Amino acid sequence: MNANRRTLLKFAGAGVAAAAVGLPRMAQAAGELTIAYNVNLPSWDPTTGPSAVNPTIQGIYQSVFDQFIPQKPDLSFGPGLLTEWGWSDDKKQVHMTVRDGVTWHDGSPFSADDVVWSLERAGKEETGNPIQFVWKNLSNFKADGNKITADAAGYDPVLFKWMSFLTGYVMPKAYYEKVGADGFEKAPIGTGPYMVDKFERNAFLRLKANPNYWGGKPAFDNVTIKFV
């Protein structure tokens, strides 16, 4: 199967041009893909530390994790883990609708609690999120089924664009609290199109297609990234 440049490149944007090489997502699987990567992966947490704002690493993160709101190669925004989002008429609250029927790589259900926990965690200074100054402006989250509301410290017209940009990833609340930061580094899970099969730091990463991915079957059954 041939994949053109547009298919292979995914872009993240919040008013700036930052391109990240992502893995293509097509309707039919096509066996193996091997990629030589000139940047190592220092951490599996896409929301903390220097790697969270390294554009080159975002392609790996976007393969394993989903962002709140995905951005397409043409830079338009579409429904993802959040299917609807917006501001209240007085611009003092935000509202979000969470996609039903999504599962984490370990088979556990994804829910609005994961979204709330991820946003609250990102807003805490001690977490080490490089864009904490954005996330800290949301508070008093309330989840009712798949509907979420939160108070905003002030109106930010690009808030939801940040949700498709650096550090804007949803993390697994129950799993992370169970295994902790060290356990997550050893066995990360997300809701993304690929699952971590094997990882040897500074050597290679092997990914396998997520058969239950909500966005459809990924382009390749297996992907190996060699850090060179």
Side-chain angles (χ1 to χ4, degrees):
M1 175 180 291
N2 293 323
N4 60 29
R5 180 177 176 83
R6 168 166 291 191
T7 304
L8 292 170
L9 291 179
K10 297 180 66 180
F11 296 91
V16 299
V21 179
L23 302 184
R25 305 174 188 180
M26 304 177 192
Q28 295 180 331
E32 300 272 347
L33 174 68
T34 300
I35 301 173
Y37 230 69
N38 70 337
V39 177
N40 285 319
L41 180 66
S43 171
W44 272 112
D45 189 334
T47 70
T48 64
S51 61
V53 289
N54 184 333
T56 308
I57 297 176
Q58 301 308 307
I60 297 177
Y61 286 153
Q62 291 171 1
S63 300
V64 176
F65 306 99
D66 280 313
Q67 295 182 284
F68 297 95
I69 300 170
Q71 190 171 26
K72 302 174 184 178
D74 64 2
L75 304 185
S76 64
F77 300 93
L81 293 184
L82 296 183
T83 58
E84 296 178 335
W85 55 88
W87 289 85
S88 61
D89 292 340
D90 60 8
K91 307 300 184 185
K92 293 182 178 180
Q93 275 196 331
V94 297
H95 59 83
M96 297 167 276
T97 302
V98 176
R99 181 179 294 274
D100 290 322
V102 178
T103 58
W104 294 100
H105 291 161
D106 66 350
S108 59
F110 161 78
S111 72
D113 288 341
D114 295 302
V115 174
V116 170
W117 180 78
S118 296
L119 288 170
E120 289 180 331
R121 178 174 179 263
K124 296 177 180 177
E125 186 174 356
E126 62 269 24
T127 302
N129 189 303
I131 308 180
Q132 183 257 349
F133 63 89
V134 171
W135 309 122
K136 72 176 182 179
N137 293 320
L138 294 179
S139 62
N140 298 324
F141 289 89
K142 294 180 176 63
D144 182 9
N146 68 338
K147 305 289 186 181
I148 299 172
T149 59
D151 295 338
Y155 176 60
D156 181 354
V158 296
L159 172 66
F160 292 109
K161 290 185 178 180
W162 281 110
M163 291 190 179
S164 68
F165 194 49
L166 305 173
T167 81
Y169 295 90
V170 185
M171 298 283 281
K173 177 181 185 293
Y175 181 79
Y176 193 94
E177 291 180 336
K178 176 182 177 181
V179 303
D182 291 341
F184 194 79
E185 288 295 330
K186 295 176 182 176
I189 65 169
T191 57
Y194 291 92
M195 307 163 65
V196 176
D197 187 25
K198 189 172 183 180
F199 175 58
E200 290 193 13
R201 196 171 300 278
N202 301 323
F204 72 90
L205 164 64
R206 182 173 175 82
L207 301 171
K208 60 182 179 181
N210 177 5
N212 301 312
Y213 184 54
W214 61 268
K217 192 173 181 64
F220 298 91
D221 294 324
N222 298 288
V223 176
T224 298
I225 297 173
K226 295 184 178 181
F227 301 108
V228 298

